[in-house]
Amino acid sequence: MQEHGDGSAEAGDELFQAVEEGGGDTVFANRELLNIDHVPDEARIVGRDEHIRDLANEVGPAVTGSPPNSVILYGKTGSGKSLVANHVMERARTESQRRSNRLATVTVDCAQAKGEADAVQTIATGINPPGSGVDIPTRGISTNEYYNRLWEILDREYDAALITLDEVDRLDDDNVLMLLSRAREAGKVDVPIGIISISNKVNFREQMTERVKSSLGHNEFIFDPYDGEQLRQILENRRDAFCDDVLDAGVIPKTAALAAQRHGDARKAIRLLRHAGDYAKNNGLDEVTEDHLERAQEQAEVERLKELIAGLPPHSKYVLYALANLTANTGPEEDWFRTTVIYDVYQKVCEAEGADDLTTDSIRGLLSELAFLEVTESNQEHGGMGKGTYKEHRLLWEPSVVFKMDPDPAQVDVER
Ligand SMILES: Nc1ncnc2c1ncn2[C@@H]1O[C@H](COP(=O)(O)OP(=O)(O)OP(=O)(O)O)[C@@H](O)[C@H]1O
């Protein structure tokens, strides 16, 4: 510790004198609790006891080194699927240790994995203990070799494995699922492997090949969106993110009610509360009121939308502007638009933005990516006798939110 002129360390260092206890924050006591990546401890997990128990029953044998069942967890985003999977894996690992067994647990975010080799590399690296003697390079070996090294680590170091594939529908194909689920049967590895697949696409199962379906079994759990009371408890359990007396009494109930009404997504509810706190903090206020919540809500949605489309080509934003222009100029019952109608407005948007337009086919591709991300939805319509089929699309977000993604988005004439 730095000593001062009078020789005492108690006086503190004048360099940091202006820094108050708690970092000088009068709104947040522990903002970390409202971070989306924050994993709450068991006492803060609300309303998922049954899912936790059911999942533990299926994968439980792994704690003794016996074959676990594989499971698919379905549900809309923010319904606690990853949380439950991580929580159960963590407890399984501890229990396995207590019974002197070695359980490998690892999660792969398939949305981040760049193909099969990358996914297998992530799994192998995640469970490779220091000193195993097996090297997992980031490149330079074939996909097959990654699998071989994964089997080697499992056989040498573990008695069983639980592998979670988050956003499994984002994998290019089901090779990974197939090879992992069949590895023991195919004699590649001695260790039993359980796979927890997570998806927010309820039709995901239909996309899998018959072989994978039969290897994964039929254990499926559905996660329903949270209701208002559950969301209120989830938020109440994180109240200590704020300093005492900062939150007005109505803020948590109102956040929960808004979230329940719109989506039942815990992630969005937590984020909204954080934004309201940020609003108060940035404006030098030491109180968070219901009024701040309203201001924060739109900002939170704009951020989420930007995040969702961040991975898409820039023209996807112009397609969204086209849809937002069309939606803002029609009644609630007429918000489905044919691809050709969207394309006409998209061309006007491009003109206003000073960009060259892409072909109708490219726009079709962008519309299906937007539908995949649930920013829009698409329908196949039948035009009647001899008229073939055509697609219609609908914006799932408020046009006002879409228009706030940029400071000056193109608003065009949509006369039809
Ligand atoms: N039951 C719950 N109790 C407390 N916090 C929760 C609960 N469910 C979700 N959360 C919180 O909400 C956020 C989103 O949860 P989680 O990632 O588990 O959702 P998900 O269903 O896996 O969503 P996605 O499909 O988008 O990945 C996390 O910060 C998590 O901590």
Side-chain angles (χ1 to χ4, degrees):
M1 187 181 283
Q2 172 86 38
E3 289 224 341
H4 298 274
D6 61 359
S8 77
E10 281 79 42
D13 189 331
E14 58 170 4
L15 191 59
F16 301 108
Q17 223 161 42
V19 180
E20 294 164 33
E21 280 310 311
D25 196 330
T26 54
V27 172
F28 293 110
N30 184 3
R31 192 170 178 279
E32 154 77 7
L33 289 177
L34 301 176
N35 272 352
I36 295 312
D37 297 336
H38 171 80
V39 180
D41 55 40
E42 191 191 356
R44 291 181 198 255
I45 301 181
V46 174
R48 291 297 186 223
D49 295 353
E50 209 174 306
H51 289 86
I52 292 175
R53 247 193 330 269
D54 289 349
L55 180 59
N57 277 343
E58 299 300 335
V59 300
V63 306
T64 66
S66 307
N69 289 324
S70 288
V71 183
I72 308 179
L73 311 183
Y74 290 117
K76 293 242 176 209
T77 96
S79 56
K81 303 178 298 293
S82 313
L83 178 62
V84 165
N86 288 334
H87 177 76
V88 170
M89 285 207 304
E90 172 79 42
R91 284 176 69 175
R93 204 172 45 235
T94 311
E95 177 63 12
S96 168
Q97 261 165 14
R98 198 184 65 79
R99 298 182 187 221
S100 307
N101 286 312
R102 301 161 307 164
L103 176 65
T105 59
V106 62
T107 300
V108 187
D109 179 355
C110 301
Q112 301 292 327
K114 297 172 212 74
E116 187 180 359
D118 199 31
V120 185
Q121 190 227 331
T122 308
I123 299 171
T125 309
I127 62 167
N128 194 14
S132 71
V134 184
D135 180 33
I136 311 291
T138 49
R139 66 183 67 159
I141 60 174
S142 64
T143 307
N144 215 4
E145 187 53 28
Y146 278 122
Y147 279 111
N148 289 338
R149 295 193 191 186
L150 173 62
W151 310 143
E152 198 181 337
I153 297 169
L154 284 170
D155 274 339
R156 272 203 213 168
E157 308 284 341
Y158 296 102
D159 301 308
L162 292 178
I163 300 175
T164 297
L165 300 174
D166 208 344
E167 296 211 44
V168 65
D169 42 81
R170 304 290 290 273
L171 287 172
D172 294 340
D173 55 42
D174 46 25
N175 257 358
V176 180
L177 271 173
M178 196 149 92
L179 286 167
L180 290 176
S181 58
R182 299 230 153 176
R184 196 155 181 247
E185 203 178 288
K188 302 278 184 201
V189 72
D190 278 337
V191 168
I193 302 174
I195 303 174
I196 304 173
S197 307
I198 301 184
S199 172
N200 45 33
K201 303 269 171 285
V202 262
N203 60 355
F204 166 64
R205 210 181 153 78
E206 290 153 27
Q207 297 166 17
M208 292 190 293
T209 60
E210 286 305 319
R211 280 209 299 174
V212 176
K213 270 187 216 171
S214 69
S215 333
L216 283 184
H218 293 275
N219 300 306
E220 301 176 358
F221 301 143
I222 310 285
F223 285 60
D224 289 327
Y226 293 111
D227 63 27
E229 178 51 24
Q230 288 169 324
L231 289 165
R232 196 192 58 73
Q233 272 183 51
I234 290 173
L235 297 173
E236 200 58 62
N237 282 348
R238 298 180 198 221
R239 173 184 281 279
D240 42 348
F242 291 89
C243 298
D244 289 345
D245 303 328
V246 162
L247 278 187
D248 267 14
V251 172
I252 287 187
K254 179 148 187 196
T255 315
L258 284 172
Q261 209 177 51
R262 310 198 82 185
H263 41 66
D265 178 334
R267 180 186 287 113
K268 282 192 185 159
I270 295 168
R271 197 190 289 236
L272 178 55
L273 190 62
R274 196 186 70 216
H275 275 287
D278 283 340
Y279 179 86
K281 187 178 165 187
N282 295 339
N283 288 284
L285 309 166
D286 47 19
E287 194 184 23
V288 180
T289 65
E290 290 179 42
D291 189 31
H292 300 157
L293 211 54
E294 266 154 36
R295 288 166 207 252
Q297 173 145 23
E298 201 163 69
Q299 195 45 42
E301 299 223 350
V302 173
E303 229 175 76
R304 176 70 186 136
L305 182 57
K306 278 184 174 172
E307 216 175 72
L308 274 175
I309 66 161
L312 298 187
H315 276 253
S316 57
K317 200 150 68 178
Y318 301 154
V319 174
L320 279 184
Y321 287 158
L323 258 173
N325 273 293
L326 283 161
T327 310
N329 285 286
T330 48
E333 302 299 320
E334 312 156 89
D335 54 355
W336 285 92
F337 305 97
R338 290 177 67 157
T339 314
T340 46
V341 172
I342 298 169
Y343 188 72
D344 286 346
V345 181
Y346 156 79
Q347 283 183 307
K348 291 185 185 171
V349 170
C350 286
E351 200 180 318
E353 297 276 350
D356 291 337
D357 48 48
L358 305 178
T359 62
T360 327
D361 267 353
S362 311
I363 296 316
R364 271 196 195 101
L366 289 180
L367 280 164
S368 51
E369 291 194 65
L370 288 166
F372 182 81
L373 295 172
E374 293 178 351
V375 175
T376 62
E377 66 180 324
S378 305
N379 255 347
Q380 191 83 24
E381 283 293 324
H382 296 276
M385 287 279 278
K387 290 198 179 147
T389 59
Y390 58 87
K391 262 198 169 173
E392 286 193 325
H393 313 268
R394 187 162 81 104
L395 186 62
L396 293 173
W397 293 63
E398 289 297 323
S400 58
V401 171
V402 174
F403 286 133
K404 288 211 173 65
M405 286 194 296
D406 272 334
D408 190 19
Q411 308 229 5
V412 295
D413 179 13
V414 295
E415 208 176 291
R416 297 163 62 201

Coordinates of all heavy atoms in Angstrom, one line a residue, residues 35-40 44-48 75-84 166-167 198-200 223 226 234 237-238 265-267 270 304, ligand 1:
N35 N -26.7 -8.7 -16.1 CA -26.0 -9.1 -17.3 C -26.6 -10.4 -17.9 O -27.0 -11.3 -17.1 CB -24.5 -9.3 -17.1 CG -23.8 -8.0 -17.3 OD1 -24.4 -7.0 -17.7 ND2 -22.5 -8.1 -16.9
I36 N -26.8 -10.5 -19.2 CA -27.4 -11.6 -19.8 C -26.6 -12.9 -19.6 O -27.1 -14.0 -19.5 CB -27.7 -11.3 -21.3 CG1 -28.7 -10.2 -21.3 CG2 -28.3 -12.5 -22.0 CD1 -29.9 -10.3 -20.5
D37 N -25.3 -12.7 -19.5 CA -24.4 -13.9 -19.4 C -24.4 -14.4 -18.0 O -23.8 -15.5 -17.7 CB -23.0 -13.6 -19.9 CG -23.0 -13.3 -21.3 OD1 -23.9 -13.7 -22.0 OD2 -22.1 -12.6 -21.7
H38 N -24.9 -13.6 -17.1 CA -24.8 -14.0 -15.7 C -25.6 -15.3 -15.4 O -26.7 -15.4 -15.8 CB -25.3 -12.8 -14.8 CG -25.4 -13.2 -13.4 ND1 -24.4 -13.2 -12.5 CD2 -26.5 -13.6 -12.6 CE1 -24.8 -13.6 -11.3 NE2 -26.1 -13.8 -11.4
V39 N -25.0 -16.3 -14.8 CA -25.7 -17.5 -14.5 C -26.1 -17.4 -13.0 O -25.3 -17.5 -12.1 CB -24.8 -18.7 -14.7 CG1 -25.6 -20.0 -14.3 CG2 -24.3 -18.8 -16.1
P40 N -27.5 -17.3 -12.8 CA -27.9 -17.2 -11.4 C -27.7 -18.5 -10.6 O -27.8 -19.6 -11.2 CB -29.4 -16.9 -11.6 CG -29.8 -17.3 -12.9 CD -28.6 -17.4 -13.8
R44 N -32.0 -18.5 -7.3 CA -32.6 -17.5 -8.1 C -33.2 -18.0 -9.4 O -33.7 -17.3 -10.2 CB -31.5 -16.5 -8.5 CG -31.0 -15.6 -7.4 CD -29.9 -14.7 -7.9 NE -29.1 -14.2 -6.8 CZ -29.2 -12.9 -6.3 NH1 -30.1 -12.1 -6.8 NH2 -28.3 -12.5 -5.4
I45 N -33.3 -19.3 -9.5 CA -34.0 -19.9 -10.7 C -35.4 -20.1 -10.3 O -35.8 -20.8 -9.4 CB -33.3 -21.3 -11.1 CG1 -31.8 -21.1 -11.5 CG2 -34.1 -21.9 -12.3 CD1 -31.1 -22.3 -11.9
V46 N -36.3 -19.5 -11.1 CA -37.7 -19.5 -10.8 C -38.5 -20.4 -11.7 O -38.3 -20.4 -12.9 CB -38.3 -18.1 -11.0 CG1 -39.8 -18.0 -10.8 CG2 -37.6 -17.2 -10.0
G47 N -39.4 -21.2 -11.2 CA -40.4 -21.9 -11.9 C -39.9 -23.0 -12.9 O -40.7 -23.4 -13.8
R48 N -38.7 -23.5 -12.7 CA -38.3 -24.6 -13.6 C -37.9 -25.8 -12.8 O -37.1 -26.7 -13.4 CB -37.1 -24.1 -14.4 CG -37.4 -23.0 -15.4 CD -38.4 -23.5 -16.5 NE -38.6 -22.6 -17.6 CZ -39.9 -22.4 -18.1 NH1 -40.9 -23.0 -17.6 NH2 -40.0 -21.5 -19.1
G75 N -38.2 -24.5 -26.9 CA -39.0 -23.4 -26.3 C -38.5 -22.1 -26.9 O -37.4 -22.0 -27.4
K76 N -39.3 -21.1 -26.7 CA -39.0 -19.8 -27.3 C -37.8 -19.2 -26.6 O -37.4 -19.7 -25.5 CB -40.2 -18.8 -27.0 CG -41.4 -19.2 -27.8 CD -41.7 -18.1 -28.8 CE -42.9 -18.5 -29.6 NZ -42.9 -17.9 -30.9
T77 N -37.2 -18.2 -27.2 CA -36.0 -17.6 -26.6 C -36.3 -17.0 -25.2 O -37.4 -16.5 -25.0 CB -35.2 -16.6 -27.5 OG1 -35.6 -15.4 -27.1 CG2 -35.5 -16.8 -29.0
G78 N -35.3 -17.1 -24.3 CA -35.4 -16.5 -23.0 C -36.4 -17.3 -22.1 O -36.9 -16.8 -21.1
S79 N -36.6 -18.6 -22.4 CA -37.5 -19.4 -21.5 C -36.7 -20.3 -20.6 O -37.2 -21.1 -19.9 CB -38.4 -20.2 -22.4 OG -37.7 -21.0 -23.3
G80 N -35.4 -20.1 -20.5 CA -34.6 -20.7 -19.5 C -34.0 -22.1 -19.9 O -33.5 -22.8 -19.0
K81 N -33.9 -22.4 -21.2 CA -33.4 -23.7 -21.6 C -31.9 -23.9 -21.3 O -31.5 -24.9 -20.7 CB -33.6 -23.9 -23.1 CG -35.1 -23.8 -23.5 CD -35.3 -23.9 -25.0 CE -34.6 -22.9 -25.9 NZ -35.1 -21.5 -25.7
S82 N -31.1 -22.9 -21.7 CA -29.7 -23.0 -21.5 C -29.4 -22.9 -20.0 O -28.5 -23.7 -19.5 CB -29.0 -21.8 -22.1 OG -29.4 -21.6 -23.4
L83 N -30.2 -22.1 -19.3 CA -30.0 -22.0 -17.8 C -30.2 -23.4 -17.1 O -29.3 -23.9 -16.4 CB -31.0 -21.0 -17.3 CG -31.0 -20.8 -15.8 CD1 -29.6 -20.3 -15.3 CD2 -32.0 -19.8 -15.4
V84 N -31.3 -24.1 -17.5 CA -31.6 -25.4 -16.9 C -30.5 -26.4 -17.3 O -30.0 -27.1 -16.5 CB -33.0 -25.8 -17.3 CG1 -33.2 -27.3 -17.0 CG2 -34.1 -25.0 -16.6
D166 N -26.2 -26.0 -27.9 CA -27.1 -24.9 -27.8 C -27.4 -24.4 -29.2 O -26.5 -24.3 -30.0 CB -26.5 -23.8 -26.9 CG -27.6 -23.0 -26.2 OD1 -28.8 -23.1 -26.7 OD2 -27.3 -22.3 -25.3
E167 N -28.6 -24.0 -29.5 CA -29.0 -23.5 -30.8 C -28.6 -24.6 -31.9 O -28.0 -24.2 -32.9 CB -28.4 -22.2 -31.2 CG -29.0 -21.1 -30.2 CD -29.0 -19.7 -30.9 OE1 -29.5 -19.6 -32.0 OE2 -28.6 -18.8 -30.2
I198 N -30.5 -28.2 -27.7 CA -31.4 -27.0 -27.4 C -31.8 -26.3 -28.7 O -31.0 -26.0 -29.5 CB -30.7 -26.0 -26.4 CG1 -30.3 -26.8 -25.2 CG2 -31.6 -24.9 -26.1 CD1 -29.6 -25.8 -24.1
S199 N -33.1 -26.1 -28.8 CA -33.6 -25.4 -30.0 C -34.8 -24.5 -29.7 O -35.6 -24.9 -28.9 CB -34.0 -26.4 -31.1 OG -34.6 -25.7 -32.2
N200 N -34.9 -23.3 -30.3 CA -36.1 -22.6 -30.2 C -37.0 -22.7 -31.4 O -38.0 -22.0 -31.6 CB -35.9 -21.1 -29.8 CG -34.8 -20.5 -30.6 OD1 -34.6 -20.8 -31.8 ND2 -34.0 -19.6 -30.0
F223 N -40.4 -25.8 -23.1 CA -40.3 -24.7 -22.1 C -41.3 -23.7 -22.6 O -41.1 -23.0 -23.6 CB -38.9 -24.1 -22.1 CG -37.9 -25.0 -21.4 CD1 -37.6 -26.3 -21.8 CD2 -37.2 -24.5 -20.3 CE1 -36.7 -27.0 -21.1 CE2 -36.3 -25.2 -19.6 CZ -36.0 -26.5 -20.0
Y226 N -42.6 -17.6 -19.9 CA -43.0 -17.3 -18.5 C -44.2 -16.4 -18.4 O -44.4 -15.6 -19.3 CB -41.8 -16.5 -17.8 CG -40.6 -17.4 -17.6 CD1 -39.4 -17.1 -18.4 CD2 -40.6 -18.5 -16.8 CE1 -38.3 -17.9 -18.2 CE2 -39.4 -19.3 -16.6 CZ -38.3 -19.0 -17.3 OH -37.2 -19.7 -17.2
I234 N -38.5 -13.6 -11.1 CA -37.2 -13.6 -11.7 C -36.5 -12.3 -11.5 O -35.4 -12.2 -11.1 CB -37.3 -14.0 -13.2 CG1 -37.7 -15.5 -13.4 CG2 -35.9 -13.7 -13.9 CD1 -37.9 -15.9 -14.8
N237 N -35.8 -11.5 -7.8 CA -34.6 -12.2 -7.3 C -33.3 -11.5 -7.7 O -32.2 -11.8 -7.2 CB -34.5 -13.6 -7.9 CG -35.4 -14.5 -7.2 OD1 -36.0 -14.2 -6.1 ND2 -35.7 -15.7 -7.7
R238 N -33.4 -10.5 -8.5 CA -32.2 -9.7 -8.9 C -32.3 -8.3 -8.4 O -31.6 -7.4 -8.9 CB -32.0 -9.7 -10.4 CG -31.8 -11.2 -10.9 CD -31.6 -11.3 -12.4 NE -31.8 -12.7 -12.8 CZ -31.1 -13.3 -13.7 NH1 -30.1 -12.7 -14.3 NH2 -31.4 -14.6 -14.0
D265 N -40.4 -13.5 -22.3 CA -38.9 -13.8 -22.4 C -38.2 -13.2 -21.2 O -38.2 -12.0 -21.1 CB -38.5 -13.2 -23.8 CG -37.0 -13.3 -24.1 OD1 -36.2 -13.5 -23.1 OD2 -36.7 -13.3 -25.3
A266 N -37.6 -14.1 -20.4 CA -36.9 -13.6 -19.2 C -35.7 -12.7 -19.6 O -35.4 -11.7 -18.9 CB -36.4 -14.7 -18.3
R267 N -35.0 -13.0 -20.7 CA -33.8 -12.3 -21.1 C -34.2 -10.8 -21.4 O -33.6 -9.9 -20.9 CB -33.2 -12.9 -22.3 CG -32.0 -12.1 -22.8 CD -31.4 -12.6 -24.0 NE -30.7 -13.9 -23.9 CZ -31.2 -15.0 -24.4 NH1 -32.3 -15.1 -25.1 NH2 -30.5 -16.1 -24.2
I270 N -35.2 -8.9 -18.1 CA -34.0 -8.5 -17.3 C -33.3 -7.3 -18.0 O -32.9 -6.3 -17.4 CB -33.0 -9.7 -17.2 CG1 -33.7 -10.8 -16.4 CG2 -31.7 -9.2 -16.5 CD1 -32.9 -12.1 -16.4
R304 N -31.9 -5.1 -29.4 CA -32.1 -6.5 -29.7 C -32.2 -6.7 -31.2 O -31.6 -7.7 -31.7 CB -33.3 -7.0 -28.9 CG -33.7 -8.4 -29.2 CD -32.7 -9.4 -28.5 NE -33.0 -10.8 -28.9 CZ -32.0 -11.6 -29.2 NH1 -30.8 -11.3 -29.3 NH2 -32.3 -12.9 -29.5
Ligands
LIG1 N1 -36.3 -19.5 -14.5 C1 -35.4 -18.5 -14.5 N2 -35.0 -17.9 -13.3 C2 -34.1 -17.0 -13.3 N3 -33.5 -16.4 -14.4 C3 -33.9 -16.9 -15.6 C4 -34.8 -18.0 -15.7 N4 -35.0 -18.3 -17.0 C5 -34.2 -17.5 -17.7 N5 -33.5 -16.7 -16.8 C6 -32.5 -15.7 -17.3 O1 -32.9 -15.2 -18.6 C7 -31.8 -15.2 -19.5 C8 -32.1 -16.1 -20.7 O2 -32.2 -17.4 -20.3 P1 -31.7 -18.7 -21.1 O3 -30.4 -18.3 -21.9 O4 -31.6 -19.9 -20.3 O5 -32.9 -18.8 -22.2 P2 -33.0 -19.8 -23.4 O6 -34.3 -20.4 -23.4 O7 -31.8 -20.7 -23.5 O8 -32.9 -18.7 -24.6 P3 -32.2 -18.8 -26.1 O9 -33.0 -19.9 -26.8 O10 -32.4 -17.5 -26.6 O11 -30.8 -19.2 -25.8 C9 -30.6 -15.6 -18.7 O12 -29.9 -14.5 -18.3 C10 -31.1 -16.4 -17.5 O13 -30.3 -16.3 -16.4

